[in-house]
Amino acid sequence: MTNEATLPLEAEASASAGLSRTALLYGIIGGSLLTVVSAFLAWTWTAEFPGDLTYYGSPAPIQFVSLAGAVLTLLYALSALGVKGLGWLAPTGSRKAIEFLAVGNFLATGFTVVSITVVLGGVVHLEPGAYVAFVGSLIPALLSLKLPDDSHKAAPAKKLPSWAEILIIVAVFALGLYVVTYGIDTDDKEPQLFVAYLITVGSAALALLKSGLLDRFSAITAKNRQVTLIGSAAAAITFPFIQQSGDTYTLIAVNILIFATVALGLNVVVGLAGLLDLGYVAFLGVGAYAAALVSGSTASAFGFQLPFWAAVIVGALASLIFGVVIGAPTLRLRGDYLAIVTLGFGEIFRIAMGNLDGTSGPDVTNGPNGIPNIPHLELFGWNFGESHNVGGIVLGAYANYYFLMLLVMALVILVFARAGNSRIGRAWVAIREDETAAEAMGINGFKVKLIAFALGATLAGLAGTVQAHVNSTVVPENYVFAGPVPPNSAFLLAAVILGGMGTIRGPILGAALLFLIPAKLAFLQDYQLLAFGIALILLMRFRPEGLIANKRAQLEYHDEETTDQAPADLATAKAGA
């Protein structure tokens, strides 16, 4: 029985805790407002720092990033206070979201202030705006760590009319397109801006995930699949039309699409069938070399030119044949032995392409010099090497290849989705989970694995045919196990693991991050592999299932956290498998 004398004390303690939480939130709001104000002040008096932070009333791009982080922190703090109209921001609680946003904004802002000091040579180069920004971002970061946990199960979402859900989807895709374009378009001469952008976007993504808002949006997209697909396609098609710098950054987008397409092909082998392939980039090279040899290059040993559709078929078939030839004798191996053999195949391919120079072997690939001068594609009278005026907007050559790669990726996604949900796809998953048990149930393990290997090789060869024309040259050094420039086998495998094995969106996200970050942070090239290794260690520690994982993987890696809801989640995972 509860002692009545203790009730006033409990009420007083509760009121004190509530007051403390309210005071903390007001402090976070105050600090966020200071950061907002600082974005309109000068942070340094000299224009020598990249981005020119000397203006009052007009935030520079890096100040705009700090401003965006502060506004998000402010909104979530107001939501935690119970401000009417903002409760939808945190269906499962706002404490973790505020912490991620506040700490992330402090890291981004503090990084900028420290960069100014280091680049210009001392704190004397800081203007008052930089001090205001540093202190203003530090206050919410410290106070957010003291907030009591308010995590709770999300209440049922309010039912919205169809038109409102469609508007939400359109708005989110438009905002996502703007955020992605902002990151890709950052000036390569301003690496500090891209680092601050990465920190802010990463912390915002974690905040949205922890607050339950992403789950709410996923539920809306699941109810409106057709609208979601149309919105995704529209956002992707719009990208080249909003580029302010012509083809400068469209080329990055094209290479990301190529990298992501090849990663999806590898995802069939690794993510669905569970086969560790360390020489997968060789299949990309087979497709690229095959297309280069039949595309009319002046250095081609064949001396003839096929139309593009025929070159695509040649590249895909060549990769398919190599996949079967390599897979047939090796897929009877398992685990580390299979990995070693595939790694050897990748190295054999690179060395062989370098030796087919007419001296060490037949004159087929021009040896280490590769096959240069691959002509641009021409499809239905549309020359991919020329700029075109579409609706008054000039699209450069790489925009043509960008649209072509969108079609190729759409085809690969369709093949991956259909194969993964088919009978053979379920057999792949069974082999991945337990090959012995799968074979005991009547599955022909060797046949199933060979089909996965051949399909993955074909998809890689398909992407290789486009890559050969985009780069206009093919050389053996582009197809190594590990190197400073992706795609290579190590980065392809990392893209699948980082994004989430067995999913569609995961490898696309992983490939985009692993290509974009090295492209934007070239000054860290000497430490790229070190940073890469550290990132993988952190990923394995905190999110081993990848950034975007399916339900099954989440339950496997976090079963201790989901014991109470396991029956419901298992049913969901079974339904989505």
Side-chain angles (χ1 to χ4, degrees):
M1 178 179 292
T2 303
N3 187 350
E4 295 182 1
T6 64
L7 291 178
L9 294 177
E10 292 178 358
E12 182 179 351
S14 176
S16 175
L19 179 62
S20 174
R21 178 175 181 273
T22 302
L24 290 172
L25 289 173
Y26 276 120
I28 292 171
I29 291 172
S32 299
L33 289 174
L34 275 179
T35 310
V36 170
V37 171
S38 71
F40 297 89
L41 304 175
W43 288 14
T44 181
W45 57 269
T46 173
E48 293 182 7
F49 185 80
D52 193 357
L53 313 182
T54 63
Y55 291 97
Y56 283 85
S58 178
I62 200 168
Q63 292 172 305
F64 181 77
V65 171
S66 179
L67 172 64
V71 169
L72 287 174
T73 307
L74 176 63
L75 289 175
Y76 268 94
L78 292 174
S79 173
L81 276 177
V83 175
K84 188 175 180 180
L86 295 178
W88 57 272
L89 284 173
T92 60
S94 56
R95 189 264 179 185
K96 291 183 179 179
I98 294 174
E99 181 180 342
F100 278 117
L101 288 170
V103 173
N105 192 43
F106 169 68
L107 291 177
T109 304
F111 169 79
T112 304
V113 174
V114 172
S115 296
I116 295 173
T117 305
V118 173
V119 171
L120 299 182
V123 295
V124 295
H125 297 282
L126 296 177
E127 284 287 283
Y131 294 104
V132 174
F134 188 86
V135 174
S137 61
L138 176 62
I139 293 173
L142 294 177
L143 296 181
S144 65
L145 301 177
K146 300 294 184 179
L147 282 174
D149 190 11
D150 62 349
S151 300
H152 58 271
K153 186 177 180 180
K158 182 180 178 181
K159 189 173 181 179
L160 298 173
S162 298
W163 63 266
E165 292 181 341
I166 293 174
L167 284 179
I168 291 174
I169 294 173
V170 171
V172 170
F173 275 117
L175 179 61
L177 177 62
Y178 173 77
V179 172
V180 171
T181 304
Y182 191 92
I184 293 178
D185 285 356
T186 54
D187 194 337
D188 294 343
K189 297 179 181 179
E190 300 180 37
Q192 297 87 354
L193 171 58
F194 187 73
V195 172
Y197 164 84
L198 274 183
I199 295 173
T200 301
V201 171
S203 62
L206 288 172
L208 296 177
L209 178 65
K210 294 298 183 180
S211 66
L213 197 58
L214 284 183
D215 291 335
R216 284 283 171 87
F217 180 70
S218 297
I220 293 175
T221 57
K223 289 172 58 180
N224 302 271
R225 291 187 179 275
Q226 291 185 347
V227 176
T228 303
L229 290 175
I230 294 173
S232 301
I237 293 172
T238 303
F239 174 79
F241 291 94
I242 58 176
Q243 290 296 295
Q244 301 297 322
S245 52
D247 265 9
T248 303
Y249 300 116
T250 306
L251 176 59
I252 293 179
V254 173
N255 284 316
I256 288 175
L257 289 178
I258 294 173
F259 193 11
T261 302
V262 181
L264 277 173
L266 180 60
N267 199 24
V268 174
V269 180
V270 177
L272 293 182
L275 306 173
L276 184 55
D277 188 350
L278 297 183
Y280 185 76
V281 75
F283 296 121
L284 176 69
V286 170
Y289 265 101
L293 288 171
V294 300
S295 295
S297 169
T298 55
S300 173
F302 294 168
F304 62 86
Q305 182 173 2
L306 294 179
F308 175 65
W309 62 267
V312 168
I313 294 176
V314 169
L317 282 178
S319 295
L320 170 62
I321 294 171
F322 270 82
V324 173
V325 169
I326 298 302
T330 61
L331 287 178
R332 299 185 188 278
L333 302 174
R334 298 185 184 182
D336 297 339
Y337 299 101
L338 176 62
I340 292 171
V341 171
T342 54
L343 175 61
F345 163 64
E347 289 302 298
I348 289 171
F349 168 79
R350 179 181 62 82
I351 295 172
M353 294 301 102
N355 287 337
L356 297 178
D357 57 356
T359 302
S360 303
D363 186 9
V364 179
T365 65
N366 204 26
N369 295 323
I371 304 176
N373 303 322
I374 300 173
H376 286 289
L377 296 176
E378 187 167 342
L379 198 59
F380 303 115
W382 185 283
N383 191 320
F384 281 57
E386 298 177 354
S387 299
H388 296 87
N389 192 307
V390 179
I393 299 176
V394 178
L395 297 179
Y398 292 123
N400 303 322
Y401 288 107
Y402 174 85
F403 292 127
L404 177 62
M405 276 309 304
L406 283 182
L407 293 176
V408 173
M409 174 171 280
L411 176 61
V412 172
I413 289 175
L414 178 63
V415 171
F416 182 90
R418 293 296 184 184
N421 292 324
S422 66
R423 182 177 180 179
I424 189 68
R426 292 191 291 272
W428 287 337
V429 174
I431 290 291
R432 182 192 68 193
E433 297 298 325
D434 193 325
E435 185 173 349
T436 303
E439 291 179 343
M441 296 301 294
I443 296 176
N444 188 330
F446 173 75
K447 178 181 177 181
V448 167
K449 291 191 292 184
L450 185 59
I451 292 174
F453 212 72
L455 178 59
T458 304
L459 297 179
L462 182 64
T465 59
V466 181
Q467 186 199 40
H469 290 87
V470 171
N471 294 340
S472 73
T473 185
V474 178
V475 293
E477 296 307 316
N478 285 345
Y479 309 102
V480 298
F481 169 71
V485 180
N488 52 64
S489 292
F491 272 74
L492 288 170
L493 183 60
V496 175
I497 297 174
L498 173 65
M501 293 190 296
T503 65
I504 293 177
R505 294 175 297 168
I508 295 176
L509 176 61
L513 291 176
L514 289 181
F515 190 93
L516 184 61
I517 293 175
K520 289 294 183 180
L521 302 180
F523 70 97
L524 291 177
Q525 187 171 356
D526 293 339
Y527 306 96
Q528 187 179 123
L529 292 179
L530 173 62
F532 175 64
I534 294 174
L536 282 182
I537 292 173
L538 293 176
L539 180 72
M540 292 298 101
R541 170 60 183 86
F542 295 104
R543 196 169 177 83
E545 70 273 24
L547 298 178
I548 301 177
N550 54 33
K551 283 287 185 180
R552 187 191 299 272
Q554 287 179 329
L555 291 175
E556 287 177 354
Y557 289 107
H558 301 285
D559 54 343
E560 72 282 355
E561 301 174 7
T562 56
T563 303
D564 296 336
Q565 58 181 3
D569 284 343
L570 284 173
T572 303
K574 184 177 180 181

